Amino acid sequence: MTSDNPSGRAPSLKNVAYGQLKQLILEGGVEPGTVLSVRQLADQLKMSKTPVQAALERMEAEDLVTFAPQQGVLVRHVSIEDIANHFEIRTALESFIVERLAGGLTDEQTLRLKANLTAQHELAQSGDVLGCVKNDTDFHLLLCEFHGNQEFAKVMHRLRDRVFQVVFRIVKQFPNRITETYEEHHEIATAIFDGNGELAAQQLVVHLQNGLKQFIPA
């Protein structure tokens, strides 16, 4: 996940709470369906309830939690329908992006994408699940950044946490997916470098379909 504090200034307590609680949820520290207590979370984070409450309200707007009357704060379950919808959006958007990028990357963009692939390979070899998932998310965000359409970038950044959450869930259940993902990313990037937009789009669709199959077998 990327930083939510790009300015470099000391983050406020509500931002600290937001970062720590979101990390806890996205990285599987609490299971979907878990009921959280604001008071207990505040004790755990060693701060008052006010910044914790503000952090949870922000996370509710991002569909990560739901305030449940008479219960507390419920960690939102990502349903199969949610996942299918998520992949449908990404397939339509990202296949268009990679087709348009093919053969048009600058030298600097090419170096950044190759560096990402090198890191992916090293992380896959070492079995670093968390690192692989973060790098996977970065790979797709890089492609969107290179395209340059700010509206596309907004959509992808809104999906960023869901991308991370879904991919992390896949890799935890199917560890071999780490290596497969690297190989699929390499094929997509190679088609882009070679200027073959149609192949890049096809490889991107196959890549996302392979991820979706972990939840919805063909």
Side-chain angles (χ1 to χ4, degrees), residues 43-86:
D43 290 344
Q44 181 179 334
L45 297 179
K46 296 180 172 55
M47 59 181 67
S48 71
K49 292 192 295 183
T50 300
V52 173
Q53 179 76 22
L56 289 169
E57 288 173 355
R58 180 175 171 186
M59 290 166 65
E60 183 183 36
E62 297 171 353
D63 292 329
L64 294 174
V65 301
T66 301
F67 282 87
Q70 310 303 319
Q71 290 183 299
V73 182
L74 187 70
V75 177
R76 191 173 181 273
H77 176 71
V78 183
S79 69
I80 295 299
E81 183 180 4
D82 291 334
I83 292 170
N85 290 340
H86 159 88

Side-chain angles (χ1 to χ4, degrees), residues 95-106:
S95 61
F96 176 85
I97 287 172
V98 298
E99 185 168 7
R100 291 302 180 92
L101 285 178
L105 296 185
T106 66

